[in-house]
Amino acid sequence: MKIKEEEYYIAGFVKHKQGTFHWKEYKLRKGMKERWLSVEKTGKNDVLLSLSQSISFGKLSFSSDNKQVTYQGVLFHSIDNGEARAIESAGDVDFDYNEKFSFVEYEADGGKQLSIEKWSDETEASLGEIIAPSDIEILEGEIKKPGKKIGCNWTVLMIIAALIFFAWEPVSAWFSYPIRDGIKKST
């Protein structure tokens, strides 16, 4: 898929639930670059899309009441918070079924977003922005993961070779000659 002219492949996803509200986050990769595409259904036919990336939690400066946070000189104001849980995941993501987390979402003038998620084992921060559906282009065909194809092919070839090596005698016996001919040739 292309987002704002950058091509990514989907490495995995997680589906979150807060009460009766659900949303999905897709882990995207382009080389060493990792992004998250959040997809929230906001109405019957409306979808809210946001694209974000992880940032260092240590570089955030919070107000005393945590309702404001500053990152790289930009002031963000709290707009939402709550608790949710991961109810489904697949691919290269690290979520446990029903794993709970709390979150606080912030927004700056100009639409930049900052999100803090507190999990049982870590606190994550991400910086992002709302994007339009027109910013996304679904590409046809398969997008190959860099550096993965060769390793995958070697693994498949090794498995096939092992199967042929260990199964050749029993398999070849099914297709070659009647058993009496095989007994005559056997010492």
Side-chain angles (χ1 to χ4, degrees), residues 35-143:
R35 300 285 187 267
W36 287 89
L37 174 65
S38 179
V39 180
E40 301 177 30
K41 191 171 183 180
T42 57
K44 199 169 197 175
N45 294 318
D46 296 325
V47 177
L48 178 66
L49 303 169
S50 62
L51 186 64
S52 63
Q53 64 186 12
S54 294
I55 60 172
S56 172
F57 183 78
K59 293 186 178 184
L60 302 175
S61 176
F62 292 89
S63 65
S64 60
D65 61 0
N66 289 333
K67 296 208 183 268
Q68 296 179 334
V69 62
T70 304
Y71 176 71
Q72 294 184 337
V74 178
L75 181 64
F76 293 82
H77 303 277
S78 175
I79 57 168
D80 192 16
N81 64 60
E83 292 185 357
R85 55 191 169 100
I87 60 169
E88 182 182 351
S89 65
D92 183 19
V93 295
D94 184 22
F95 294 94
D96 295 327
Y97 176 73
N98 225 13
E99 186 176 5
K100 292 181 182 180
F101 66 99
S102 62
F103 65 89
V104 182
E105 293 179 355
Y106 299 87
E107 190 172 76
D109 293 339
K112 289 276 187 196
Q113 297 180 323
L114 193 138
S115 179
I116 309 291
E117 294 178 354
K118 292 183 181 181
W119 298 83
S120 63
D121 59 344
E122 67 181 323
T123 299
E124 300 174 348
S126 60
L127 180 67
E129 64 182 330
I130 302 282
I131 61 172
S134 60
D135 290 331
I136 299 176
E137 178 185 351
I138 305 300
L139 302 172
E140 292 186 29
E142 179 183 347
I143 299 174

Side-chain angles (χ1 to χ4, degrees), residues 174-186:
W174 295 340
F175 299 106
S176 56
Y177 40 78
I179 194 163
R180 68 175 180 271
D181 294 338
I183 292 172
K184 287 180 191 175
K185 292 180 183 178
S186 175

